[in-house]
Amino acid sequence: MSIAEKFAAMEYGPAPEDAKEALTWLDRHSRRFGHFINGAWREPFAREYVDTTDPSTGERLASVAQGSSADIDAAVQAARAAFPKWQSITPHARARYMYALARQVQKHSRRLAVLETMDNGKPIRESRDIDIPLVARHFYYHAGWAQLLPQEFPDYTACGVVGQIIPWNFPLLMLAWKIAPALATGNAVVLKPAEFTPLTALAFAEICQEVGLPAGVVNIVTGDGSTGEALVKHPDVDKIAFTGSTEVGRAIRSATAQSHIRLSLELGGKSPFIVFEDADLDSAVEGLVDGIWLNQGQVCCAGSRLLMQESIAEPLIAKIRERMITLRVGPPLDKGIDIGAIVAPVQLERIQRLVNQGVAEGATCWQPQTEMPSRGLYFPPTLLSNVHPSSMVAQQEIFGPVLAAMTFRTPSEAVELANNTAYGLAACVWSESINIALHVSAQIKAGVVWVNCTNLFDASCGFGGYRESGYGREGGREGLLEYLEPAWFKSAPSLPAAKPSPGENADSDRQTANPAPVSAEIDRTVKLYIGGKQARPDSGYSMEVRGRNGQILGEVPLGNRKDIRNTVEAAHKAAGWAKTTAHNRAQILYYMAENLSQRRDEVAHRLSAAVGEAQASAEVNSGIERIFSYAAWADKFDGAVHNPPFRNIAIAMNEPIGAVGIICPHEVPLLGFLSLVLPVVDAGNTVVAVPSETYPLITGDLYQLFDTSDLPGGVVNIVTGYSSQLLKVLAEHDDVDAIWCFTDQTSAFAAKSFSTGNLKQVFTNEGRAIDWFDVKQGEGRWFLQHATQVKNIWVPYGE
Ligand code: NAI
């Protein structure tokens, strides 16, 4: 072709990246890798190896060990042995190691990028310009936290040995997101990379050796799901951090429910990409290219659901098609390629199957006549239009280069459609109107919202989901808390087991064999408190409440499933509470303190029959202080504005979780209730609370307090009864967004087990005793953090 012809055609020539260094590295390891345990390479116990291949060619790259439970055990033991020393070296020493890791990643950046592209199939442009620079940034950022830890988190300590399981879509980046915060906070790690993409994790293991990281602090065990399962089930792991499919996330949740293992889950998504009629459509189309065609759409936060305002749907679709025609699909090591290979045959089949299903359900499928490579695993960029919002392709994560397009008319319809999903990971909002963009962003239930931008990430900005997209954050200050625990909590003693509740229908249990004399002085009956009103229980049964000496103090209703349903409904109706100003919430709490103060003596007097005079009086006094504390916190527990290294600000907002079910401690009826319910209400959530089973009569005093303090009806609802029975109903209820359970260990485990199906957030005392009178244990940020979830809204600025 002559130069003139080339100029006229303006076609790309091949621009392959040189793979020599990466291949030399593989050869140096004889293309065979054992596990990295205790600072050294180890043969797997079972001597079993599997191949990892290049999806763009099908060629074998290397064999890696298939980890067994014996391998996992060796790695956990190595981590356990390394943990005390790693935790106790100076913060500066830890920071230096982490800084060295960051530097070493940078020094090997090109080799790592090439390896990533060969093992995963993603375009070299992405691994070189996005993945690896973000990996280095993550280690630099967390080297800083290692240095600052004692000043910034003085009362916290590391979890211990952390098991980490990562997926194949961003192999080294997900490793960095997991390992950097874990090491910075003093934990030791066993990480299992995904079976399709183990190579960069193994290259990272070598980097750990190069910087002289103490043996056992980082262990890498390769293998498939069964290896991951062995890690999750290992009895000596303190925390599991997982990124991957919602299905496996749920299995891990179930496997760890009957244990004290802490869990953070970063799961799937079906993120909306919303384009309003006043958006800059050309920019939106470029955003969409990053949103759904980055990494072949194998991105958990991919903007896979395009929601277009009806008036611009046609021109936008035309522009998208025009742009799709220019996308180049091909060998990922070619620097001019936009869309590389799909990671594995099973994924390719899945994408094709889901697209076929979408078409069968009525969607129109459009693909450009792109030249496709003759070998390797490729799928063309795909646009599905006329998609019904409830259809499978609008609801299920396809995890491929497939965009499902729908229309809306008004901003409120856009919000409704955007939230019409079980997921809640990310969203994009395109509009030139700052009002519309921020108004809509605030209403979307997702952990990250990008305004007029897409798929931006930074170590300083937390990332993570709402609802079935998981919980916990990676990055930012909130990401560190996933690897830290209050120091006092770790060594708190266990509470004795609560006495078992009778079966739900065992009426005979409700009768007392030897009725004790009724106290002449106090004979009270309280009701349930639902939607700001006193309500009789559905069952028509009551439960006797006895004092310290066995005397009957009164009766409370025996709440059941139906009562819980009614209270959850009332809690949802009161969701407007989240929109009240923090100042307003503080005022209501101050008023509450004033009212409790005025009734101090009578409340203490009644309570004393159950807990004795000294405790009763202390509970009321501390209760008034606690209300004051949370009134103070209401307008002070606010978010942050991050300055990531782009022309953006990321506004980190502490948002309420929704309707929270709370099982209150038995032993401290008033102060325990206030200590749990107030932070939740303070943060804008609504509550269904089950009060102390020891003295549920406190409900009467509490609803008088709420009624006289202008607390809107439905913000706090109270159901008395057997807490273990009510816990099950609350935990299983799909409209309860989080469960707090602060009784014994059995209940803590039950709270986790019963809520596995809907993956709700669970916060418990793990059956440990909390000194509610100690402000260090009983109030403050630890509770407020669990009552909120951080949403990061990214907003570009400047020219
Ligand atoms: P996956 O969830 O099965 O795998 C993720 C990781 O979990 C891998 O390291 C795997 O070995 C491990 N694992 C699998 N079963 C396990 C178990 N029972 N216990 C412990 N660890 C286990 O994801 P997979 O099969 O690779 O992809 C399937 C679908 O999941 C994709 O099509 C996509 O929809 C979704 N996915 C979502 C990701 C995200 O970041 N949200 C990442 C990867 C996949």
Side-chain angles (χ1 to χ4, degrees), residues 49-63:
Y49 288 83
V50 286
D51 288 347
T52 183
T53 54
D54 179 339
S56 69
T57 60
E59 280 165 17
R60 169 183 171 272
L61 293 169
S63 301

Side-chain angles (χ1 to χ4, degrees), residues 376-632:
L377 308 171
Y378 292 93
F379 198 86
T382 301
L383 173 65
L384 297 175
S385 44
N386 297 325
V387 168
H388 193 274
S390 63
S391 68
M392 189 272 316
V393 285
Q395 293 295 329
Q396 209 166 314
E397 188 173 41
I398 298 179
F399 231 60
V402 182
L403 180 65
M406 284 152 271
T407 57
F408 66 86
R409 289 193 185 138
T410 60
S412 59
E413 205 188 332
V415 170
E416 203 178 304
L417 275 176
N419 288 335
N420 179 21
T421 166
Y423 296 115
L425 196 52
C428 289
V429 180
W430 291 78
S431 166
E432 290 297 293
S433 155
I434 188 93
N435 280 348
I436 289 193
L438 293 183
H439 182 61
V440 167
S441 303
Q443 294 175 75
I444 291 178
K445 292 187 163 62
V448 185
V449 182
W450 289 290
V451 172
N452 294 336
C453 55
T454 313
N455 273 347
L456 294 179
F457 309 97
D458 184 56
S460 67
C461 306
F463 181 90
Y466 283 26
R467 308 199 276 193
E468 291 198 9
S469 289
Y471 46 80
R473 293 289 179 265
E474 300 192 279
R477 202 185 173 94
E478 58 270 32
L480 291 180
L481 289 168
E482 298 296 329
Y483 292 95
L484 289 169
E485 273 185 336
W488 64 265
F489 183 64
K490 242 188 151 178
S491 52
S494 293
L495 281 171
K499 66 178 190 329
S501 307
E504 196 158 358
N505 298 313
D507 292 344
S508 58
D509 288 339
R510 298 187 185 111
Q511 315 301 327
T512 317
N514 297 308
V518 175
S519 155
E521 192 191 350
I522 310 164
D523 178 15
R524 304 180 66 216
T525 300
V526 301
K527 298 209 180 101
L528 306 178
Y529 186 57
I530 305 180
K533 296 198 173 64
Q534 297 176 33
R536 287 183 203 289
D538 168 70
S539 69
Y541 287 111
S542 294
M543 177 173 113
E544 286 171 354
V545 181
R546 286 170 180 265
R548 295 215 297 174
N549 307 322
Q551 78 279 27
I552 294 178
L553 300 178
E555 295 199 334
V556 295
L558 208 51
N560 67 10
R561 186 173 292 272
K562 178 101 188 296
D563 299 313
I564 291 285
R565 273 209 301 269
N566 293 341
T567 45
V568 172
E569 216 171 280
H572 275 280
K573 276 196 192 138
W577 175 246
K579 296 196 186 114
T580 55
T581 64
H583 173 73
N584 197 358
R585 291 203 287 271
Q587 291 295 301
I588 290 171
L589 289 184
Y590 279 128
Y591 197 11
M592 227 183 253
E594 201 181 299
N595 285 326
L596 182 56
S597 182
Q598 273 174 17
R599 295 176 45 230
R600 177 195 310 250
D601 293 343
E602 46 163 323
V603 174
H605 177 63
R606 280 193 287 272
L607 183 56
S608 66
V611 298
E613 258 175 50
Q615 182 178 324
S617 145
E619 278 200 53
V620 179
N621 290 335
S622 294
I624 294 166
E625 282 191 33
R626 192 123 308 157
I627 305 175
F628 250 67
S629 279
Y630 283 110

